[in-house]
């Protein structure tokens, strides 16, 4: 199993450009989420989804959109990139059915720089 | 959610046991203690979790005090590859619940 796959690993954008960070998991996990991590800080939750067709906001959702059309994929869209969105982004997933431990599996991360 | 308090950083000699403390004095009866770690630039990795009994797996041991207000993660024989940031998180074990990460403890294993 590949686990959680994120693409791209690195991306440089100019202010105002849009882009999509891709996240795919092959573990049939119902729950998926996106976090961002800034230097010296912990991870902050952006958006999450408990199943296909269901998404919700986390701690820092502004400037980001998500959709969950399939169980496997959970893309994160930046509509108009800003320098404040320069960060490392992590996608994570976990099983929720049957209910079990909060054991998240993380991707390797996507490092985004907005100039 | 119960808040957790961890030291900002710790050092440990290679081959010795690393004991990482976590205070969670406001923990509720149905909240579990989770530990994750993040090796430099990688995604966080699950280590272990427990409710009130001590737990052990191939990576570490988790000791939870009887009043559940604090816990200790033990890496029995630390190696250089254990150098990482360790996060202690308290959360109800409802599968849909989100996990919120603080800043953790930066453990440096010294040769």
């Amino acid at each position: 199993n590949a686990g959680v796959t994120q693409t791209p690993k690195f991306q440089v954008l100019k202010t105002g450009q849009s882009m999509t960070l891709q996240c795919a998991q092959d573990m049939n996990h119902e729950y998926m989420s996106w976090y961002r991590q800034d230097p010296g800080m912990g991870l902050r939750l952006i958006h999450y989804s408990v199943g296909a067709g269901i998404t919700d906001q986390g701690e820092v959702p502004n400037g980001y959109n998500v959709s969950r059309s399939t169980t496997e994929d959970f893309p994160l869209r930046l509509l108009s990139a800003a320098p404040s969105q320069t960060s490392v982004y992590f996608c994570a997933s976990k099983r929720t059915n049957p209910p079990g431990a909060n054991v998240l599996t993380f991707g390797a991360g996507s490092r985004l720089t907005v100039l | 959610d119960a808040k957790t308090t961890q030291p900002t950083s710790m050092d440990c000699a290679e081959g010795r046991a690393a004991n990482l403390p976590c205070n969670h004095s406001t923990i509720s009866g149905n909240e579990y203690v989770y530990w994750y770690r993040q090796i430099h630039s990688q995604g966080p990795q699950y280590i272990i979790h427990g409710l009130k009994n001590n737990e052990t797996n191939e990576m570490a041991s988790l000791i939870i005090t009887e009043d559940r207000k604090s816990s200790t993660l033990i890496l029995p024989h630390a190696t250089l590859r254990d150098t990482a940031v360790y996060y202690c998180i308290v959360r109800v074990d409802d599968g849909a619940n989100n996990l919120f990460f603080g800043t953790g403890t930066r453990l440096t294993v010294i040769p």
Side-chain angles (χ1 to χ4, degrees):
Chain A
N1 286 344
V4 178
T5 302
Q6 292 184 231
T7 55
K9 291 190 180 338
F10 301 94
Q11 182 71 49
V12 178
L13 290 178
K14 294 182 179 178
T15 297
Q17 287 185 318
S18 63
M19 78 155 299
T20 299
L21 298 177
Q22 302 290 345
C23 176
Q25 53 90 9
D26 61 358
M27 298 171 285
N28 205 30
H29 286 173
E30 296 87 356
Y31 174 99
M32 297 185 74
S33 57
W34 278 101
Y35 292 85
R36 63 175 286 175
Q37 185 171 36
D38 301 312
M41 299 183 66
L43 287 80
R44 291 184 291 170
L45 183 66
I46 305 172
H47 284 285
Y48 66 97
S49 167
V50 297
I54 305 169
T55 63
D56 210 341
Q57 297 181 349
E59 304 170 272
V60 288
N62 292 342
Y64 307 95
N65 277 357
V66 291
S67 59
R68 185 92 181 272
S69 56
T70 67
T71 299
E72 294 78 20
D73 300 298
F74 190 45
L76 179 71
R77 297 184 183 85
L78 285 72
L79 302 178
S80 178
S84 61
Q85 294 179 302
T86 293
S87 189
V88 181
Y89 292 84
F90 290 99
C91 180
S93 71
K94 66 180 177 179
R95 186 189 67 188
T96 61
N97 188 21
N102 270 301
V103 180
L104 283 169
T105 299
F106 282 83
S110 297
R111 184 176 296 273
L112 175 67
T113 301
V114 182
L115 302 175
Chain B
D1 302 328
K3 301 294 184 186
T4 62
T5 304
Q6 299 178 252
T8 302
S9 63
M10 294 180 62
D11 293 337
C12 176
E14 187 178 18
R16 304 297 293 269
N19 297 288
L20 292 93
C22 181
N23 287 324
H24 31 80
S25 58
T26 60
I27 192 170
S28 301
N30 61 346
E31 289 183 307
Y32 283 70
V33 180
Y34 286 84
W35 284 85
Y36 282 74
R37 74 178 182 184
Q38 186 175 24
I39 297 171
H40 181 63
S41 300
Q42 298 180 19
Q45 174 191 25
Y46 165 80
I47 301 173
I48 199 168
H49 76 284
L51 182 62
K52 51 186 173 182
N53 296 324
N54 298 336
E55 302 287 345
T56 296
N57 63 21
E58 65 279 4
M59 292 181 68
S61 295
L62 173 60
I63 308 298
I64 302 173
T65 58
E66 192 170 344
D67 63 8
R68 304 210 323 122
K69 292 185 177 181
S70 66
S71 60
T72 301
L73 178 75
I74 301 172
L75 308 178
H77 305 287
T79 70
L80 298 180
R81 288 176 293 181
D82 292 321
T83 293
V85 176
Y86 288 77
Y87 299 98
C88 170
I89 303 165
V90 175
R91 195 65 175 151
V92 174
D93 197 14
D94 175 340
N97 277 350
N98 299 308
L99 287 180
F100 296 97
F101 292 76
T103 53
T105 296
R106 180 173 297 278
L107 174 69
T108 302
V109 180
I110 302 169

